[in-house]
Amino acid sequence: QLKDADIKIAEIKQQLRLLDFKIQVIQDNHLKHLKDKIDFIYKILFVVGIGVFTQLIIIIRTALLTG
């Protein structure tokens, strides 16, 4: 019976190691790719925001000069 408990403990330890490995893969690989994609989206939004702001300034300037 003690041997069965030792075998179960060994199996649980092995499963924990595998789970730890999978968590590390997610942290190191998948999360980095998601962060890179989110950073890229932020850059695009920043450029679009600058474009919209510039157009707004042009509209205000045109309205002030003609009105």
Side-chain angles (χ1 to χ4, degrees):
Q1 187 158 10
L2 187 59
K3 185 175 181 173
D4 290 339
D6 288 340
I7 292 172
K8 294 275 187 192
I9 290 172
E11 288 174 356
I12 292 171
K13 284 182 179 179
Q14 184 178 9
Q15 289 174 351
L16 286 174
R17 282 190 206 108
L18 181 61
L19 189 59
D20 184 55
F21 174 74
K22 288 182 178 181
I23 290 172
Q24 290 301 321
V25 167
I26 289 171
Q27 285 178 339
D28 296 340
N29 194 13
H30 300 302
L31 292 180
K32 182 185 181 325
H33 290 298
L34 287 175
K35 182 186 177 305
D36 291 344
K37 288 179 182 179
I38 290 171
D39 289 343
F40 181 70
I41 289 170
Y42 279 142
K43 289 175 185 174
I44 289 174
L45 287 176
F46 180 76
V47 169
V48 169
I50 294 293
V52 169
F53 182 72
T54 303
Q55 290 296 317
L56 183 63
I57 296 297
I58 291 170
I59 290 170
I60 291 172
R61 185 192 67 173
T62 304
L64 290 175
L65 291 177
T66 59

